[in-house]
Amino acid sequence: MVGNMCGRKLARRSKSALIVALTVLLVQTLIVWNFSTLDTGEEAGEGANSRREKRDQVGRINKAYSQYPRSGLPKRHHQPPLGKTAVRRKQQPEGYHSWRPKEKVLLDSNNNENSVPKDFDTVVDSNSNLGARSQRQRMAGNTAKHKPDKALRQAGLKDSHAYKRPKPHSQLSTKPARPSPSPSIKTSNQHQRHHQPRKSATAAPVRGQRREKHQCEISGKEAISALSRAKTRECRQQIAEVYCRHKERTLMPETVPRYCTIEGKANVNAQWDEGSEQTAPAVPVRIVFVLVVHGRASRQFQRLFKAIYHTSHYYYIHVDQRSNYLHRQVGALASQYSNVRVTSWRMSTIWGGASLLTMYLRSMDDLLKMADWNWDFFINLSAADYPIRTNEQLVGFLTKYRDMNFIKSHGRDNTRFIRKQGLDRLFFECDTHMWRLGDRKIPEGIAVDGGSDWFLLNRMFVDYIINSEDELVVSMKRFYAYTLLPAESFFHTVLENSAHCESMVDNNLRITNWNRKLGCKCQYKHIVDWCGCSPNDFKPPDLPRFQQTSRPTFFARKFEASVNQEIVTQLDSFLFGPYPQETPGLQSYWENVYDETDSVASLSDSQLTHYHAFTRMGLSRAATSLQGHPDNNSCRYIPRGHPVSVHLYFLSDVFQGYLVRQHASNLATSQLETLETWFAEVRHVGTDWDAKERIFRNFGSLLGPTEEPVAMQRWGRGQNVTVTVVWVDPTNVIAATYDILVDGGTEYTHYRPPLTVPLRPGVWTLRVLHHWNLLASTSFVVSPLEHHGQQPIRQEDTVKLHSGPVRNSYMDQSFHGLNPILNLPVHLGQVEEAEFKASLTGAELQSWVDHLLAGVWSAADVCSQGPSSCPVMQRCRETGWSALSPDPKSDLGPPRGNGRIR
């Protein structure tokens, strides 16, 4: 009896085990089948048999791959859709938008200068995942959504319903002591969706600290979200204060008086006949150009300044607080001209932030106090602007309409504009971010207007804005201190509701290159809880547009010499006549990316590693310049210290490479010389992909183990197709694979796979397949790091940063089952070599770096800044490529007899 029972139990167990085994086998078969069919069409004929044979190979994994842990059969990595019309999984825009019923879309005006997409609540970049979380956050693990009480604890508050109220903030002010209602800020280029916890920012209040009696319950989801994401304790305290003051209805006005005596919006029809003879006005107006600049494009700024300069006008320049190199260049420029001044104060402004409006108001206050500057009009420009008419033409037009204010309105239904612009939402700026805190009401009694934040205002109206104490101006400064994109609405609203309303001309005298399809990618989500747009750069085919506008226009934007300099040269020739063909540097453009005054702290470890490697490669090239003289050391050098400077070099609008300048000691004479080397490389994988201009902003694609690479594909027109992209690391580990649904009309696709860092250094391969047949392939180098924290790397850090991710898992799932299908064997020797190199330091590490980079970079030429002991070394100023070579189109000189420089 017992034997029968044991037999039946064994039989049942065997039967169950058999069912489980068959189920697992069926699941494995289905998963493998899913990998082999990329299109929806059925397999047929010999092609199907071939694919079935490849599927049978999955079980025969290369023996060497047993060194890698198995985590189950591969699963398809689902990525956001990349085709033009394909929709596999719709990504929602960043931000915290409450649901609102859709309104009927109204057509744009002919020149809508507004920087928020007209369909802002549905904008999705279907060809990109660049708003995804960063890899550094990925290493820290996924962060779950915070519950309200948890978010408040993270904010450093004592309990979930109260906060300590700091000293109240002031409203928008022009007083130097408090230039902004928010703290000093710095911006970031990282697109982040999920934020990792920050221990340093979550400390609880000190025990026993005296609590103020004013408290409020923080219940709004936007405010709670902002508190959970803010980086610093000060910012969280400010967010809580603003939220509670708003809840108590003490933050901003509820009603505001209107002083305009006419109904509706005034719009003076200011016309100008370009073909008519323009006589010199008896008393011409004088203009103050307020130049708001940032970045490092000093030569482009100098070309703009050269084109607009005249001794009769004034130039007041604000350089962003983060742009120290440009500030030094602008300071040197201003010292040459008595009518040019640089603000003694600097602010860090962000897109959409209240800090931009504060900067304008403070600049206006400064200008009104300058008794020796007798100006009539205030005009703001950026380094991305360029004139399309001459100074004389602008002065003649403004003199005719000297009592007018030129400002561009949105040209749409006002209710929809308020919604689209977020004017009915409460925002606050701190920690380099514009935080959305909830809803609010528009003050009653006034008509809210807005449009472009580029304008021309007469002195009378500027004085009214700065010095008036009437309730309209004071209330609007309070209201717009907590408004998204305030500079796009503050001046419009004050003008339309003030006694100056009849001076409004609905034209800011500019043409902007809006391309909503490319420019509205919600690309500012890392700095603002909203979606925004940015204009595209003009290119040579756009030149006729400047002559075909139906309204008076004197400036255009945007221009970017690193994208296209030819259009600027064409405009310059149209306005002032062409340069002689033999002019040196006419087709060249240089842009600084590093200067030793900035210190190496401004560089990433990957950049510093590459620049040092370039220096060694350049000196090696100099050493081989005296062929046949092995004992001659006159062209042999030893590098000294860090690089002096690094420039990007473009020729005929094509990136030519990096120019690295370095101090070095000559072995023959021991004299210190400064040499510059030119390097060139082209890549289709990089970082900082700009979907609007369709270029990698990391022009040289300098990649290190902690970078987040993006793959870009360019397609010809054809049929709809599904392709597979495969990323392969240096040891043939398949790091990622995903499908792209390419519409027949799509020109570009790009995707950043969420790879776990560090990436393994070496030569990576990117393959594009269709039905497992190779369509295209490219390789790129991930360089190991010589420096960590700007210091020579230690061995314990090299092992961490150069060994690849833990267990070779670049993603949550493994793709090693595809190695046989793609004919990518993983050899034990490759693995052992990678492990050995991961621990290299010193000269051996430098040799590895140089060997990798030499495969994709070459030292095209070397020159000397001054006299050289090397007899064949040319002087940099005599070359056509060096950043020290002549560049007359950007050089500035003294004004000529007509008051101009150009």
Side-chain angles (χ1 to χ4, degrees), residues 68 190 313 345 502 514 530 567 718 744 774 794 866 877 884:
Y68 292 80
Q190 295 293 325
H313 304 305
W345 47 272
E502 295 186 66
W514 287 110
W530 204 254
I567 181 63
L774 186 65
R794 300 175 302 177
R877 66 170 178 264
L884 297 171

Side-chain angles (χ1 to χ4, degrees), residues 50-67:
S50 175
R51 286 190 287 274
R52 278 192 285 270
E53 289 175 3
K54 289 186 177 181
R55 288 200 301 269
D56 294 337
Q57 296 176 7
V58 172
R60 299 191 293 272
I61 307 299
N62 187 283
K63 184 178 180 180
Y65 212 96
S66 62
Q67 302 296 321

Side-chain angles (χ1 to χ4, degrees), residues 189-389:
N189 286 329
Q190 295 293 325
H191 294 261
Q192 299 182 355
R193 178 165 299 163
H194 304 290
H195 293 252
Q196 59 182 329
R198 299 172 176 84
K199 293 181 181 180
S200 62
T202 57
V206 177
R207 181 173 295 180
Q209 185 177 5
R210 182 174 174 269
R211 294 182 58 186
E212 298 183 13
K213 61 181 180 180
H214 297 92
Q215 299 176 357
C216 81
E217 178 182 1
I218 300 179
S219 56
K221 64 177 183 179
E222 289 95 347
I224 292 172
S225 173
L227 286 170
S228 69
R229 292 178 291 132
K231 300 175 183 177
T232 65
R233 181 179 181 86
E234 181 184 11
C235 180
R236 291 189 294 272
Q237 290 281 9
Q238 292 170 352
I239 289 172
E241 174 208 351
V242 168
Y243 178 85
C244 290
R245 288 178 59 197
H246 177 61
K247 190 173 182 178
E248 296 165 359
R249 302 173 70 175
T250 61
L251 186 66
M252 61 188 66
E254 297 184 359
T255 60
V256 178
R258 173 181 168 90
Y259 301 127
C260 180
T261 58
I262 63 173
E263 294 292 333
K265 182 190 302 183
N267 181 17
V268 177
N269 186 19
Q271 295 295 324
W272 181 64
D273 184 4
E274 185 176 6
S276 64
E277 290 292 330
Q278 298 294 314
T279 59
V283 184
V285 298
R286 307 184 76 177
I287 305 168
V288 58
F289 293 85
V290 176
L291 303 171
V292 183
V293 296
H294 68 281
R296 307 184 75 90
S298 59
R299 300 201 189 203
Q300 178 172 340
F301 171 75
Q302 287 170 196
R303 290 196 75 174
L304 167 66
F305 179 81
K306 195 172 184 177
I308 64 174
Y309 180 83
H310 195 280
T311 52
S312 298
H313 304 305
Y314 309 99
Y315 303 85
Y316 198 47
I317 308 173
H318 175 270
V319 184
D320 190 276
Q321 194 170 23
R322 296 153 294 188
S323 301
N324 293 325
Y325 169 80
L326 186 60
H327 186 256
R328 294 192 296 272
Q329 299 294 311
V330 169
L333 177 152
S335 65
Q336 304 177 49
Y337 307 96
S338 60
N339 57 340
V340 180
R341 293 174 184 171
V342 182
T343 61
S344 59
W345 47 272
R346 295 165 65 193
M347 297 178 60
S348 297
T349 59
I350 63 172
W351 185 92
S355 53
L356 183 61
L357 176 58
T358 304
M359 184 273 298
Y360 280 135
L361 294 178
R362 188 169 179 184
S363 297
M364 291 174 175
D365 186 45
D366 289 350
L367 293 168
L368 290 172
K369 292 176 181 177
M370 295 180 188
D372 56 333
W373 278 20
N374 186 24
W375 53 273
D376 302 292
F377 273 97
F378 174 108
I379 177 172
N380 60 335
L381 295 173
S382 75
D385 293 284
Y386 209 78
I388 60 176
R389 302 287 187 275

Side-chain angles (χ1 to χ4, degrees), residues 112-115 408-410 417 421 449-453 487-489 492:
N112 175 33
E113 301 264 345
N114 194 230
S115 60
K408 188 73 183 78
S409 184
H410 56 84
F417 170 77
Q421 196 79 357
D449 194 12
S452 172
D453 56 356
E488 293 190 0
S489 183
H492 303 69

Side-chain angles (χ1 to χ4, degrees), residues 162 380 412 508 596 776 861:
N380 60 335
R412 292 197 192 100
N508 62 356
E596 62 179 343
D861 207 349

Side-chain angles (χ1 to χ4, degrees), residues 31-47:
I31 292 174
V32 173
W33 175 85
N34 183 51
F35 267 93
S36 65
T37 55
L38 297 180
D39 288 332
T40 56
E42 296 181 358
E43 296 177 341
E46 295 180 0

Side-chain angles (χ1 to χ4, degrees), residues 673-889:
E673 300 181 16
T674 302
L675 307 181
E676 188 171 44
T677 310
W678 168 18
F679 297 88
E681 181 248 25
V682 177
R683 280 282 163 244
H684 297 93
V685 175
T687 59
D688 301 331
W689 171 255
D690 184 343
K692 179 171 66 69
E693 300 302 335
R694 295 171 169 177
I695 60 174
F696 286 109
R697 291 293 178 173
N698 177 0
F699 287 95
S701 300
L702 307 183
L703 301 177
T706 58
E707 306 292 343
E708 301 174 351
V710 178
M712 177 273 294
Q713 301 85 31
R714 185 174 182 178
W715 305 91
R717 291 189 176 274
Q719 298 179 347
N720 295 357
V721 65
T722 300
V723 300
T724 300
V725 179
V726 181
W727 295 67
V728 185
D729 91 343
T731 60
N732 279 357
V733 171
I734 298 178
T737 177
Y738 50 86
D739 290 348
I740 300 177
L741 309 179
V742 185
D743 182 84
T746 297
E747 187 176 0
Y748 288 88
T749 54
H750 57 276
Y751 182 64
R752 182 181 64 201
L755 300 176
T756 300
V757 295
L759 309 179
R760 180 173 285 108
V763 180
W764 282 62
T765 303
L766 188 75
R767 297 185 179 185
V768 181
L769 311 172
H770 178 59
H771 286 305
W772 300 114
N773 296 314
L774 186 65
L775 294 181
S777 177
T778 189
S779 61
F780 61 97
V781 169
V782 174
S783 173
L785 300 178
E786 297 177 22
H787 296 82
H788 184 57
Q790 287 82 38
Q791 298 296 323
I793 195 167
R794 300 175 302 177
Q795 187 168 26
E796 55 265 34
D797 293 322
T798 64
V799 174
K800 293 178 183 178
L801 293 169
H802 298 163
S803 298
V806 177
R807 301 182 64 190
N808 299 289
S809 299
Y810 288 98
M811 300 186 64
D812 294 336
Q813 64 266 46
S814 170
F815 301 102
H816 65 254
L818 292 178
N819 281 72
I821 295 177
L822 299 175
N823 193 25
L824 291 171
V826 180
H827 298 291
L828 183 59
Q830 289 178 301
V831 177
E832 292 176 343
E833 182 183 12
E835 291 176 350
F836 170 74
K837 289 182 175 179
S839 62
L840 295 178
T841 57
E844 291 180 315
L845 175 59
Q846 291 180 357
S847 178
W848 182 25
V849 173
D850 293 350
H851 175 73
L852 283 173
L853 297 185
V856 291
W857 292 92
S858 63
D861 207 349
V862 185
C863 67
S864 174
Q865 180 174 339
S868 176
S869 301
C870 179
V872 296
M873 184 74 69
Q874 58 184 334
R875 298 288 286 270
C876 290
R877 66 170 178 264
E878 297 172 355
T879 70
W881 55 266
S882 170
L884 297 171
S885 60
D887 185 18
K889 65 183 182 300

